[in-house]
Amino acid sequence: MNQSGMRHDRRLPPTAPPSLAERIRLEMESFTPSEKRAAHLLLSHYPFAGLDTVAEFASRAGISAPSALRFVTRLGFSGFPDFQKHLREELEAQLLSPLAKAGPADKSQGAPALSSFSEAVIGNLRATVENIAPAEFEAVVTLLSDPRRHIHFTGGRFTGALARYAESHFRIVRSNVDFIEGQPALWRDRMIEIGKKDVIVAFDIRRYQEDVTALCETAAKQGATIVLLTDPWLSPIARVARHVLPAHIVAPSNWDSSAGLLLLTEALVATVTKRLWETAKPRMEAVERLRSEKA
Amino acid sequence: MNQSGMRHDRRLPPTAPPSLAERIRLEMESFTPSEKRAAHLLLSHYPFAGLDTVAEFASRAGISAPSALRFVTRLGFSGFPDFQKHLREELEAQLLSPLAKAGPADKSQGAPALSSFSEAVIGNLRATVENIAPAEFEAVVTLLSDPRRHIHFTGGRFTGALARYAESHFRIVRSNVDFIEGQPALWRDRMIEIGKKDVIVAFDIRRYQEDVTALCETAAKQGATIVLLTDPWLSPIARVARHVLPAHIVAPSNWDSSAGLLLLTEALVATVTKRLWETAKPRMEAVERLRSEKA
DNA sequence: CTTGTTTTGAAATTTCTGATACAGGTTTTC
DNA sequence: GAAAACCTGTATCAGAAATTTCAAAACAAG
């Protein structure tokens, strides 16, 4: 496809794979809407999505079989079997060469913003994991796995969404879970029933929000256990928190990144779900059943 | 239409599935001469030899098609397509999680769980970025940077939190931003003022939620532009969406991971903020001012 | 050498997949 | 605003692939 392309012979690996995926990405703009659907499906599950039958492929992409056919024809294949053969061969070649695994670190893409941003976020995740004390993580898991505890999630302006995310999962895994809005007017009255059996999981990163701090301080005063997910500079809530899990948040953006907090949240959800599996499983099944009934 | 015949199981923890190759090696002794030929061919080019047609496979093994068929039947498959499907799935699972393959189910707790979980999430992020078409990302940025557009965020049970997260940032960067609850009762009346100038940014991953789909379909019918953030299997919303950004979501958990979606969201926020900086800066400063006044 | 059993492949059959023609609908262009 | 060009899905068909049938070949035991 590319003798017209740049001859910037950068000493490519012996197998300079003109991956079909790459070509599709480049030609993406010139595709019709249906073709784009097909392309997206294929790229997102590359190359396995293309190994099924045309009908299956088309249906998953949300298009008709003929459109799928036109898509592969447009890519230069003589038919669907030809297309599949190419995918298989490419896959085999790639699997046999261990270095192909490293991935195309091609900066030449049109969205350097996205790829450099993601590298920064990945760095944050690694740093976050490294700096978490295993015992602390473990302690939080144990705390959240105790069915007798009441768990309340809360957060600030931006982190509130993370608290909701956590709550929506834990609510299914176990009982006695809720979400508390940050504004004092909304939680003042609920505080009367917060006590030693309660756990507050608070999300708070810089530009620490006073109302969240106030909530935690009040709850702590009443004997609740506070778990804090925050940034490395530690929200003032840390002073009243029993457990603190800090996450790195600096990204090449005018905003902080919450990916590290989300990682911790999801890891907590995963681990607690595993630990409470005996009781969580029937609950999850029940939710599933309700879903399908409504459908 | 859906091969997920297993409605009961709930994406079990990553217990290392016994590779078919392994089983064949064990049962080798009990095979007939023809079956041994088939087995040897398959093992020598595992699993690609099995991805061709029966005829091809049989011919390469030096046996007849019926013998090849008997071979796969004997392995417990209902037919050749079934056999091939298994090979593909095994291959995909192995390729997508190079690390999950070694782990004989980490029943362990705390830190090991956290670090392996984070590696999986990092893999998701890389895969997500690689599979985003730069032009698509760019197009979405342009769309969201258009001050004349109204932007509405929405999402499902879990992804709603991400939509809120996005909304809370964009709300500051630009005007005409809001969040729409997924339940039809809550948005039905708002639909009358949705039109060509509106953009719906929908978050929806598997166990796709019908109310979100309905919302998008209604909005699309009225001329709104739909941007969809979903998983690689594509929510049905993709059918009415102008732009689709898929993120990888499979993690060693009973739940899917939304980290990829968050990454895309934050990257969009960062890029749009940069692009609208002239107008975004004073807005951000104003918010800051209000904050400190209240303090 | 005969007989009963197992293994095997050629050919017939059935199933399903890939391909095509055509028509309705949409967008573009003038 | 009308016409042309272009997409896209439905219906249909041709052909290939998988599967079954059945009889011949290989083998083992008597």
Side-chain angles (χ1 to χ4, degrees), chain A residues 144-175:
Chain A
L144 299 183
S145 299
D146 185 341
R148 289 162 310 184
R149 298 281 198 157
H150 270 69
I151 317 277
H152 310 269
F153 292 92
T154 191
R157 182 92 159 98
F158 303 123
T159 48
L162 290 171
R164 278 177 195 278
Y165 185 80
E167 186 252 0
S168 62
H169 283 85
F170 276 107
R171 172 175 292 288
I172 294 178
V173 174
R174 48 163 296 162
S175 56

Side-chain angles (χ1 to χ4, degrees), chain A residues 7-13:
Chain A
R7 260 270 164 272
H8 68 345
D9 199 337
R10 190 159 309 294
R11 184 69 52 211
L12 296 167

Side-chain angles (χ1 to χ4, degrees), chain A residues 9-127:
Chain A
D9 199 337
R10 190 159 309 294
R11 184 69 52 211
L12 296 167
T15 55
S19 167
L20 179 62
E22 204 173 324
R23 229 182 75 212
I24 293 175
R25 256 180 240 118
L26 291 176
E27 293 182 32
M28 182 65 81
E29 288 165 286
S30 67
F31 289 151
T32 71
S34 281
E35 286 168 346
K36 278 188 189 169
R37 299 246 177 80
H40 277 130
L41 174 65
L42 181 59
L43 289 184
S44 63
H45 241 155
Y46 195 83
F48 300 96
L51 262 35
D52 270 306
T53 64
V54 194
E56 183 76 14
F57 179 73
S59 143
R60 287 207 203 176
I63 61 180
S64 70
S67 291
L69 250 328
R70 283 187 278 263
F71 172 66
V72 304
T73 306
R74 195 180 195 298
L75 291 173
F77 298 101
S78 68
F80 208 74
D82 185 31
F83 166 69
Q84 291 188 317
K85 189 168 164 240
H86 177 92
L87 288 182
R88 283 204 308 267
E89 286 171 354
E90 202 177 86
L91 183 60
E92 185 167 6
Q94 184 189 335
L95 199 71
L96 294 185
S97 82
L99 19 115
K101 219 47 208 298
D106 60 329
K107 319 270 194 187
S108 61
Q109 292 296 344
L114 179 54
S115 100
S116 78
F117 189 85
S118 98
E119 284 309 315
V121 168
I122 287 172
N124 277 345
L125 299 190
R126 289 232 157 84

Side-chain angles (χ1 to χ4, degrees), chain A residues 25 37 43-45 51-52 60 88 91 95 109 119 126 138 161 165 255 257-258 266 273 288 291, chain B residues 3 52 88 91-92 95 119 126 130-131 161 165 207 232-233 238-239 248 255 257-258 266 273:
Chain A
R25 256 180 240 118
R37 299 246 177 80
L43 289 184
S44 63
H45 241 155
L51 262 35
D52 270 306
R60 287 207 203 176
R88 283 204 308 267
L91 183 60
L95 199 71
Q109 292 296 344
E119 284 309 315
R126 289 232 157 84
E138 176 57 24
Y165 185 80
W255 306 93
S257 165
S258 298
E266 292 188 333
T273 303
E288 188 71 15
R291 255 187 62 85
Chain B
Q3 70 283 30
D52 271 307
R88 285 203 307 265
L91 185 60
E92 182 169 10
L95 197 72
E119 283 309 314
R126 288 232 158 84
E130 243 169 69
N131 287 316
Y165 185 80
R207 276 75 200 292
W233 298 278
R239 283 180 297 143
H248 285 237
W255 306 94
S257 166
S258 299
E266 293 188 334
T273 303

Side-chain angles (χ1 to χ4, degrees), chain B residues 5-31:
Chain B
M6 32 195 198
R7 264 277 161 271
H8 61 286
D9 93 340
R10 181 142 310 297
R11 247 174 293 121
L12 300 167
T15 54
S19 164
L20 180 61
E22 207 172 319
R23 234 183 70 216
I24 292 176
R25 260 181 234 112
L26 291 175
E27 294 182 34
M28 183 66 82
E29 294 310 314
S30 68
F31 290 151

Side-chain angles (χ1 to χ4, degrees), chain A residues 189-203:
Chain A
D189 44 345
R190 289 169 74 173
M191 273 301 141
I192 55 172
E193 49 183 19
I194 297 282
K196 285 195 203 305
K197 68 180 188 319
D198 292 273
V199 176
I200 309 283
V201 180
F203 292 75

